[in-house]
Amino acid sequence: MGVEIERKFLLANDGWRSLVERSERMAQGYLVNAAAIAAGQAKCSVRVRIAGDTAWLNIKSATLGIERHEFEYAIPLADAEHLLHELSDGVLEKIRHHVMLDGAHFEIDEFLGDNAGLFVAEVELASVDAAYPRPDWLGIEVSEQTRYYNVNLIGRPYATWSAAEREGKEDTAC
């Protein structure tokens, strides 16, 4: 069974930029959206993601926290494009930067469009209590703040957040 253990952080500074090994532009949308999850009508999000000429369908449990069930499957690019443009409630675009540091793989998402200005670092772990490096560019942890979940950024983008929300200080309902 697929399980993802992931911590999310805001960034304190741009020190990570010199460590980027590669970057890729991504577009993604959700077939089961945040509103259905919030209303208790869905137990998972269903995402379609395209990066270059590769596409995936992802199913992730709608539970709060750093450990969630996750399943991901490669799908034909043409199918992904159709799902994204015809069946999703919107498209989220971002550039994912890959940083390796002391054996840990950080994925730093630089969001675009209505989410421009938002940067989130994620690190996947082998266990909930696994150690990971904490470089000075890693800011406050926002793993349990639902507004930072990608599924919520389509209906309530970063451009609409208050200054306190942007700093991770205020948790409001999405």
Side-chain angles (χ1 to χ4, degrees):
M1 181 167 12
V3 174
E4 174 190 60
I5 301 171
E6 175 183 80
R7 293 189 178 275
K8 292 179 179 272
F9 299 87
L10 296 182
L11 298 173
N13 59 55
D14 283 343
W16 58 273
R17 288 194 183 274
S18 65
L19 303 172
V20 173
E21 294 185 0
R22 68 183 170 86
S23 300
E24 59 192 338
R25 190 177 180 117
M26 298 178 160
Q28 63 189 52
Y30 291 84
L31 306 180
V32 175
N33 64 24
I37 294 167
Q41 298 170 339
K43 293 181 179 184
C44 64
S45 66
V46 179
R47 177 186 72 210
V48 175
R49 176 181 283 163
I50 297 173
D53 60 357
T54 307
W56 304 268
L57 184 66
N58 172 283
I59 303 163
K60 191 179 291 191
S61 61
T63 52
L64 184 62
I66 66 168
E67 183 175 10
R68 299 190 284 167
H69 294 290
E70 180 182 45
F71 303 89
E72 191 163 73
Y73 307 97
I75 62 172
L77 181 60
D79 290 356
E81 289 171 342
H82 179 80
L83 291 168
L84 201 59
H85 298 292
E86 299 296 327
L87 300 178
S88 71
D89 286 339
V91 177
L92 178 81
E93 294 187 276
K94 62 186 178 181
I95 300 170
R96 173 161 287 170
H97 305 282
H98 298 269
V99 172
M100 292 299 294
L101 182 66
D102 299 330
H105 180 197
F106 287 90
E107 295 176 338
I108 299 172
D109 288 343
E110 175 182 356
F111 292 89
L112 306 171
D114 287 342
N115 290 294
L118 176 59
F119 291 80
V120 176
E122 300 174 346
V123 61
E124 287 198 25
L125 304 170
S127 65
V128 172
D129 58 353
Y132 56 93
R134 298 178 192 226
D136 67 349
W137 46 263
L138 203 60
I140 67 167
E141 184 170 1
V142 294
S143 299
E144 296 198 13
Q145 294 187 35
T146 59
R147 73 174 162 273
Y148 291 98
Y149 289 12
N150 284 225
V151 68
N152 292 316
L153 292 173
I154 291 174
R156 189 163 183 271
Y158 185 72
T160 66
W161 296 6
S162 70
E165 287 175 310
R166 289 175 180 221
E167 295 172 7
K169 294 180 180 175
E170 177 186 316
D171 196 12
T172 60
C174 289

